[in-house]
Amino acid sequence: MDKSSVIFGNKIDARTLKKAAAAQKKLIRKFGDDRDKTYHLCAEQNDVLDAFGAKVLRLSDKPLGAIPEKSIIIGNIRMGFGHYRISMAMASAAKAMGFTPLWLDLNSFPSTTCTKIISYQNELYSLGSRLSQKSALFNKLFWEPLNYEGFKKLTYNAGDQKNAELMTPILHDIPRSTPFIATHVWPSQAAIHAGFSHVVNAIPDNWAMALHLSEGALHTVQTPSAYIGYRTLQGFAGEKVLQPMSARDIVYTAHYVDDELVRNIEADCAARLERAENGKPLRFLLSIGGAGAQGDYFAGLIQTLLPYIAEKKAALYLNIGDYENVWDFFTAKIPELKNCAETHFNDWNATTAFVQNALNDGGCSGKESAGVHVFCHKDIFQAVYATNLLMRACDVLITKPSELAFYPVPKLFIQHVGGHEKWGAIRSAEIGDGTSEMPNLSHAQAMIQQFVEERDMLISMCNAILAAKRQGIYNGAYHAVELATGGFDGKESHYAYAGR
């Protein structure tokens, strides 16, 4: 079905359509066109996803067959860690609500045209992210404008829709009535092109962009400002006033957060308040994302923390994901790091045991409240989810304002990598569970000092998190599952979805 010519009632110009068709042909020449091929799937176990009762869909030489009665597809791609993390939130909520999540990563089928296209785009995006941190000129003239305004244009969506037409074959085995939550727009677009009837397009950011549009799906957003931005499509074609989205097309659900994090907010904040109010070491969590940018910046943050760690005023949890070479980079930059660091590499049982000990160590008497602890896992699920586990045990998460901006943990926001990200920090700062975005390394270092030496901001953030939970601000994943599994009743959606 053609989704490029008219988008929410807005006709796309002939020049854009010609360009979109040409781009699709270029991808076909480069990666092939397998829309006439039949792919089969099977459902496999995974150590991390077992916690959510989820199974991973992989290629198979036999048809998938019957799936559990209350199945829900979690459609995603690996592009950095963010979309995986949001998918884990959806899977966690789905399990808590009695559903069986089936994990479908369109970037995990190497023999397909779909994965070849996504991997190619991912490599380009990762390269751009790294270059933006190395070249101020590249960032100013190309990367920031592309991420902030380029992706916002309605015409950009026309090209994406043409590309998504090539991503449907992998969905052959799945019944079209199966509830489907997509945490990246490409799985959502692919599902709509393939004829799925219950698709939720879970939009990740707080800055409205046409990049995330998937007409035919029910769009969910995490903030009121994003709702208004998407509902009106304001700025999607410069100053031109566009035909808006229907209220049936979009719902404000609130933040997408894992069930186990939401359920334990009171207990985790109580532990943080106890540590803050009694002068105990503060635990900082620094998570390195999949794009691999900001290495020098992170090294500067670690160097700032080391004196406090030596004085037993702080501890550092450093999750480097699945990039062991990042540890080599840090130890080359900061040779003394090796002397005070304990590594936890590729041992998931040891990592989960560490977190459990940290959660149980209210008196801060164990090793979990001292030194530097570095986590690295080759398994992508472990690499991503280690941060989610460590979030519960930490006091302050240091992160760029990405998907982590919406999580219920006190946050120190460093510089964004793409212009769209900065609106995540704005949302968090307004709620009160995070700082504003630090404009440079010096300001971030000063904020670390403030957290360690003056505990009032941390206490304030914990109280803000508790207040936000009472308001239902962290319940978005539950609502997305509700909508995918029973919300398509033809009625107009509610602007503010009822709290859980």
Side-chain angles (χ1 to χ4, degrees):
M1 65 183 83
D2 178 38
K3 290 290 184 181
S4 298
S5 300
V6 180
I7 301 173
F8 293 110
N10 299 284
K11 291 184 177 179
I12 303 301
D13 63 278
R15 181 181 178 185
T16 295
L17 294 176
K18 183 178 180 181
K19 182 179 178 182
Q24 186 196 65
K25 289 180 181 178
K26 183 177 179 180
L27 289 175
I28 290 173
R29 287 195 300 270
K30 190 176 183 68
F31 302 116
D33 185 349
D34 56 3
R35 283 177 287 182
D36 61 348
K37 186 171 182 178
T38 299
Y39 292 107
H40 295 304
L41 301 172
C42 64
E44 294 182 350
Q45 300 288 123
N46 176 271
D47 288 345
V48 176
L49 294 186
D50 276 350
F52 310 133
K55 298 185 186 303
V56 182
L57 294 176
R58 303 288 192 195
L59 283 176
S60 172
D61 56 1
K62 299 178 181 178
L64 179 62
I67 59 177
E69 184 179 350
K70 296 185 70 176
S71 291
I72 182 169
I73 303 297
I74 309 296
N76 55 64
I77 65 170
R78 180 187 174 175
M79 182 173 277
F81 289 172
H83 302 286
Y84 258 31
R85 199 180 317 280
I86 297 171
S87 287
M88 288 175 173
M90 299 299 183
S92 175
K95 182 201 175 189
M97 297 167 70
F99 295 94
T100 299
L102 299 177
W103 187 279
L104 178 69
D105 175 5
L106 294 189
N107 198 19
S108 65
F109 307 99
S111 62
T112 67
T113 298
C114 172
T115 291
K116 291 173 184 175
I117 291 173
I118 293 173
S119 296
Y120 172 68
Q121 299 280 11
N122 190 19
E123 289 170 5
L124 290 177
Y125 190 85
S126 296
L127 176 61
S129 293
R130 293 192 297 273
L131 288 175
S132 72
Q133 300 305 297
K134 295 178 180 178
S135 170
L137 189 63
F138 174 83
N139 189 55
K140 180 179 179 180
L141 298 181
F142 179 76
W143 195 245
E144 280 284 318
L146 174 65
N147 276 270
Y148 200 59
E149 296 296 341
F151 292 156
K152 191 177 184 71
K153 295 178 181 178
L154 196 66
T155 51
Y156 188 92
N157 187 252
D160 254 12
Q161 287 282 9
K162 292 301 291 183
N163 294 345
E165 292 175 4
L166 305 175
M167 300 180 183
T168 59
I170 200 64
L171 304 174
H172 175 271
D173 272 5
I174 306 170
R176 296 319 193 236
S177 60
T178 309
F180 193 116
I181 297 179
T183 63
H184 187 282
V185 72
W186 291 338
S188 177
Q189 291 170 347
I192 294 298
H193 282 295
F196 280 75
S197 57
H198 289 63
V199 182
V200 164
N201 176 32
I203 295 174
D205 297 317
N206 192 28
W207 172 245
M209 299 186 291
L211 165 71
H212 294 303
L213 295 178
S214 177
E215 189 170 6
L218 179 61
H219 298 66
T220 63
V221 292
Q222 300 186 83
T223 71
S225 62
Y227 178 90
I228 294 171
Y230 281 102
R231 181 85 164 74
T232 63
L233 301 180
Q234 184 177 349
F236 283 46
E239 296 183 0
K240 181 180 179 181
V241 177
L242 295 173
Q243 179 76 20
M245 294 176 70
S246 163
R248 292 184 177 89
D249 294 315
I250 185 167
V251 176
Y252 159 53
T253 57
H255 299 189
Y256 314 134
V257 181
D258 314 56
D259 169 69
E260 55 271 25
L261 284 165
V262 177
R263 278 190 291 106
N264 289 290
I265 282 176
E266 288 85 358
D268 295 342
C269 281
R272 293 180 186 118
L273 288 169
E274 197 276 334
R275 287 190 288 269
E277 291 170 347
N278 291 288
K280 294 180 179 177
L282 294 189
R283 303 160 172 183
F284 289 84
L285 169 58
L286 182 55
S287 180
I288 310 298
Q294 297 178 299
D296 289 330
Y297 195 114
F298 289 137
L301 297 174
I302 293 169
Q303 287 175 314
T304 302
L305 279 165
L306 285 181
Y308 292 119
I309 292 169
E311 296 169 8
K312 301 192 183 305
K313 293 181 179 180
L316 174 62
Y317 302 159
L318 176 61
N319 181 22
I320 59 175
D322 55 350
Y323 295 97
E324 194 166 337
N325 62 302
V326 170
W327 180 234
D328 297 331
F329 170 84
F330 284 141
T331 53
K333 281 270 183 183
I334 316 168
E336 64 270 29
L337 193 55
K338 278 189 175 180
N339 299 327
C340 60
E342 181 177 348
T343 56
H344 309 263
F345 286 10
N346 299 311
D347 188 339
W348 187 240
N349 290 333
T351 294
T352 56
F354 177 94
V355 172
Q356 194 55 55
N357 289 336
L359 290 171
N360 294 336
D361 184 26
C364 297
S365 58
K367 68 176 184 179
E368 294 80 14
S369 292
V372 178
H373 297 273
V374 188
F375 301 86
C376 181
H377 299 88
K378 291 180 181 178
D379 180 278
I380 179 59
F381 297 101
Q382 296 173 4
V384 175
Y385 200 61
T387 290
N388 294 46
L389 294 177
L390 291 163
M391 256 191 275
R392 288 196 55 207
C394 81
D395 294 305
V396 180
L397 169 64
I398 304 176
T399 179
K400 64 188 181 76
S402 57
E403 83 289 347
L404 288 168
F406 300 92
Y407 279 72
V409 58
K411 294 171 286 284
L412 191 170
F413 290 114
I414 62 175
Q415 286 172 290
H416 64 267
V417 175
H420 60 287
E421 289 183 342
K422 60 187 176 184
W423 286 85
I426 291 170
R427 168 66 170 174
S428 178
E430 288 178 343
I431 292 172
D433 64 3
T435 68
S436 57
E437 181 184 342
M438 299 296 104
N440 53 45
L441 176 59
S442 296
H443 280 83
Q445 291 170 320
M447 190 60 69
I448 288 174
Q449 179 182 359
Q450 188 83 352
F451 270 116
V452 175
E453 297 181 358
E454 303 287 342
R455 307 293 177 98
D456 58 300
M457 282 193 301
L458 177 57
I459 293 169
S460 176
M461 287 180 187
C462 288
N463 289 328
I465 290 169
L466 293 169
K469 184 186 179 182
R470 292 192 291 270
Q471 298 170 42
I473 283 175
Y474 303 117
N475 289 346
Y478 302 119
H479 297 324
V481 174
E482 288 171 341
L483 290 165
T485 57
F488 285 76
D489 56 6
K491 298 178 182 178
E492 289 194 359
S493 60
H494 299 290
Y495 167 69
Y497 206 74
R500 181 175 172 81

